[in-house]
């Protein structure tokens, strides 16, 4: 079995397990009313983060084995791949998700918030949390741009291979491995750092929203891939 086929099978199992973990988060008591509830929510949130870490650990091995196949992500739908940034989702997507969820929940609880009642959810982010999220977003944008620049340089240098110079092909593939690994490292670090900026309840809401977005894109992609072909 090829490394790509092996990773695809891992991904299918991993994805099912992610859904199970998210279901536990969805059904957990929110807001937590006791220390036991908070500990339970915190434990579930950490399990999700660890689950993402396991994904990137296994993906790293697949990248080293066959980076070109990983770059094309055969386990993903055409729709999912159209949204990819260097073989995966763009890290700054998480910040748009935080702001969107915060805005929706703020409007939903605006009456309570105006009365000074704390809701404790993503709609109740403190000024300090907004500042730190904004700072992290700026840092992440810079890292994204730097990695995108590395990929652009790699693509320029790869033109030499297309023109017939195969002497350093192994080195060029190795450089692509490095670029994809940097992108995945940024993805995982962004998840971890956003979670660290949030309270337990907010982190749970963020992880559920991220998971639902991921499953939504997955579902739409599968539907589009299975549409009947239309004649031109």
């Amino acid at each position: 079995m090829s490394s790509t086929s092996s990773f695809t099978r891992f991904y299918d199992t991993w994805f099912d397990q992610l859904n199970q973990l998210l279901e536990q988060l969805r059904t957990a008591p929110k807001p937590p009313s006791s220390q036991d509830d908070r500990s339970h929510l915190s434990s579930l949130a950490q399990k999700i983060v660890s689950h993402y870490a396991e994904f990137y650990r296994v993906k790293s091995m697949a990248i080293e084995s066959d980076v070109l196949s990983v770059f094309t992500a055969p386990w993903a739908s055409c729709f999912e791949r159209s949204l990819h940034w260097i073989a995966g989702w763009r890290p700054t997507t998480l910040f748009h998700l935080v702001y969107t969820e915060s805005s929706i929940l703020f409007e939903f609880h605006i009456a309570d918030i105006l009365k000074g009642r704390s809701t404790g959810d993503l709609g109740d982010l403190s000024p300090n949390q907004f500042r730190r999220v904004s700072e992290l977003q700026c840092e992440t944008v810079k890292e994204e741009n730097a990695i995108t620049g590395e990929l652009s340089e790699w693509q320029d240098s790869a033109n030499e291979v297309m023109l017939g110079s195969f002497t350093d092909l192994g080195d060029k593939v190795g450089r692509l491995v490095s670029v994809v690994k940097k992108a995945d490292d940024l993805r995982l670090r962004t998840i971890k750092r956003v979670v660290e900026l949030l309270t337990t309840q907010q982190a749970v809401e963020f992880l559920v929203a991220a998971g639902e977005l991921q499953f939504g894109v997955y579902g739409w992609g599968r539907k589009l891939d299975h549409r009947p072909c239309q004649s031109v």
Side-chain angles (χ1 to χ4, degrees):
M1 182 183 295
S2 69
S3 60
T4 305
S5 298
S6 178
F7 183 75
T8 299
R9 293 186 64 176
F10 161 79
Y11 178 80
D12 290 340
T13 300
W14 178 89
F15 203 66
D16 288 341
Q17 292 171 342
L18 177 63
N19 190 35
Q20 294 170 19
L21 289 170
L22 287 173
E23 186 57 31
Q24 292 180 48
L25 282 184
R26 294 187 192 100
T27 57
K30 293 181 288 293
S33 57
S34 67
Q35 183 57 46
D36 286 344
D37 286 345
R38 282 188 287 274
S39 296
H40 180 59
L41 279 180
S42 179
S43 176
L44 287 176
Q46 287 307 310
K47 282 183 180 180
I48 295 282
V49 173
S50 296
H51 196 58
Y52 281 114
E54 175 67 4
F55 171 80
Y56 289 113
R57 184 189 69 79
V58 177
K59 185 181 176 185
S60 176
M61 294 188 291
I63 291 169
E64 291 178 358
S65 178
D66 188 354
V67 65
L68 297 179
S69 291
V70 170
F71 203 90
T72 58
W75 53 86
S77 66
C78 294
F79 178 59
E80 289 173 280
R81 289 194 292 273
S82 74
L83 301 175
H84 278 181
W85 169 80
I86 312 184
W89 49 271
R90 185 177 287 273
T92 45
T93 302
L94 296 184
F95 300 101
H96 299 300
L97 188 63
V98 170
Y99 294 137
T100 299
E101 289 297 310
S102 178
S103 177
I104 292 172
L105 289 170
F106 177 83
E107 291 181 7
F108 185 75
H109 294 301
I110 190 168
D112 290 328
I113 293 172
L114 290 176
K115 292 177 181 177
R117 298 171 185 164
S118 175
T119 60
D121 57 22
L122 280 173
D124 196 19
L125 291 174
S126 69
N128 184 53
Q129 283 179 309
F130 270 117
R131 177 183 59 79
R132 294 173 67 193
V133 169
S134 178
E135 290 172 350
L136 180 57
Q137 181 181 16
C138 291
E139 292 175 20
T140 305
V141 167
K142 289 179 181 178
E143 289 197 63
E144 272 189 8
N145 291 340
I147 297 171
T148 299
E150 286 190 46
L151 178 62
S152 179
E153 291 175 5
W154 181 87
Q155 291 170 331
D156 289 341
S157 68
N159 288 333
E160 298 173 11
V161 175
M162 295 172 64
L163 294 173
S165 175
F166 294 93
T167 55
D168 57 350
L169 180 59
D171 176 64
K172 284 182 169 54
V173 172
R175 287 175 58 192
L176 183 60
V177 167
S178 175
V179 171
V180 179
K181 282 191 171 186
K182 285 182 180 179
D184 279 351
D185 176 66
L186 181 58
R187 280 184 265 267
L188 181 58
R189 280 192 290 116
T190 304
I191 292 173
K192 290 180 175 180
R193 294 183 70 182
V194 169
V195 168
E196 289 171 359
L197 293 176
L198 304 173
T199 66
T200 298
Q201 181 183 344
Q202 291 167 347
V204 166
E205 292 169 346
F206 162 71
L207 291 170
V208 168
E212 289 177 344
L213 175 62
Q214 188 172 356
F215 279 94
V217 171
Y218 174 88
W220 271 106
R222 293 306 182 273
K223 287 181 181 178
L224 292 172
D225 278 0
H226 289 89
R227 285 186 308 177
C229 295
Q230 297 180 353
S231 353
V232 178

